[in-house]
């Protein structure tokens, strides 16, 4: 995605989307998806990751993602949302970290240069909670039903879209 954005001079504006807003705070076992094994993601996901030089595994746990989305709002305020997103997503898909664990979030935040002493009390007070919920609802109102979903010139492009298809959609807008 970043490659497509760079090649086409496009800005990426990531928005929080709660895949399971009713997921318990402690998370839950991740459901098996088509083509997955206990340790491997579906072949098409693995192939796309490998093409980008990424090694991913199938996480066995689905965390409640509210706190990581709240941390991402803070990262966006500080111009580091891209870096934080990559750190969080990478840690989840490579090692299956629990993105609802504050110690995990602290490590990710510090890794990308965020001020944990400033962020931690904001997460404790749930300062960004309503903003995450509002952005989730705005996405639903636009027709978003899952992630990833790309909004390109008013048109939704949902699902596991190839880089070629994303690039074509961006170039079509021109």
């Amino acid at each position: 995605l970043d490659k497509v954005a760079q090649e086409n001079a496009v800005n990426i504006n990531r928005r929080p989307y709660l895949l399971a807003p009713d997921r318990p705070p402690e998370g839950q076992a991740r459901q098996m998806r088509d083509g997955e094994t206990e340790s491997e993601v579906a072949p098409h996901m693995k192939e796309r990751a490998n093409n980008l030089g990424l090694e991913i595994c199938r996480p066995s746990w689905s965390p409640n993602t509210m706190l990581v989305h709240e941390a991402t709002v803070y990262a966006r305020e500080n111009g580091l949302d891209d870096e934080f997103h990559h750190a969080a997503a990478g840690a989840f898909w490579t090692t299956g970290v629990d993105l609802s664990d504050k110690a995990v979030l602290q490590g990710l935040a510090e890794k990308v240069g965020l001020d944990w002493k400033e962020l931690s009390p904001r997460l404790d007070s749930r300062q960004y909670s309503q903003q995450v919920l509002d952005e989730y609802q705005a996405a639903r109102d636009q027709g978003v039903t899952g992630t990833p979903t790309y909004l390109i010139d008013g048109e939704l492009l949902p699902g596991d879209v190839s880089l070629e298809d994303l690039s074509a959609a961006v170039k079509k807008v021109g």
Side-chain angles (χ1 to χ4, degrees):
L1 177 59
D2 293 321
K3 181 180 176 185
V4 170
Q6 289 172 355
E7 290 174 354
N8 295 284
V10 171
N11 291 325
I12 297 173
N13 184 2
R14 289 187 176 85
R15 310 304 280 214
Y17 187 83
L18 298 167
L19 280 175
D22 57 346
R23 184 170 290 144
E26 67 278 4
Q28 63 192 80
R30 186 171 183 271
Q31 295 179 349
M32 192 76 73
R33 307 266 183 348
D34 286 343
E36 291 184 340
T37 68
E38 288 296 322
S39 61
E40 298 287 331
V41 294
H44 72 280
M45 285 182 68
K46 189 163 189 68
E47 180 181 347
R48 292 231 174 106
N50 289 342
N51 288 340
L52 296 170
L54 303 173
E55 287 290 327
I56 63 173
C57 67
R58 180 192 174 274
S60 60
W61 194 254
S62 290
N64 181 303
T65 58
M66 188 65 171
L67 275 182
V68 73
H69 283 305
E70 290 179 39
T72 302
V73 172
Y74 173 82
R76 185 174 30 193
E77 286 179 352
N78 288 275
L80 293 170
D81 57 316
D82 191 50
E83 293 83 354
F84 186 75
H85 165 78
H86 286 297
F92 178 73
W93 287 105
T94 59
T95 64
V97 298
D98 182 353
L99 294 173
S100 66
D101 183 313
K102 279 193 67 184
V104 168
L105 295 179
Q106 179 179 358
L108 295 169
E110 290 174 345
K111 177 180 178 181
V112 302
L114 292 172
D115 182 347
W116 182 251
K117 288 180 182 172
E118 186 175 277
L119 173 57
S120 180
R122 293 174 186 213
L123 294 178
D124 289 341
S125 71
R126 307 310 300 269
Q127 177 176 332
Y128 300 108
S129 177
Q130 191 59 53
Q131 184 175 346
V132 170
L133 292 173
D134 290 347
E135 290 193 37
Y136 166 76
Q137 189 57 55
R140 298 287 299 173
D141 292 347
Q142 284 185 302
V144 176
T145 59
T147 183
T149 298
Y150 306 93
L151 179 63
I152 302 171
D153 197 37
E155 188 174 327
L156 291 177
L157 198 59
D160 186 21
V161 179
S162 72
L163 288 177
E164 294 80 19
D165 289 343
L166 273 176
S167 185
V170 168
K171 286 177 182 172
K172 184 173 118 181
V173 173

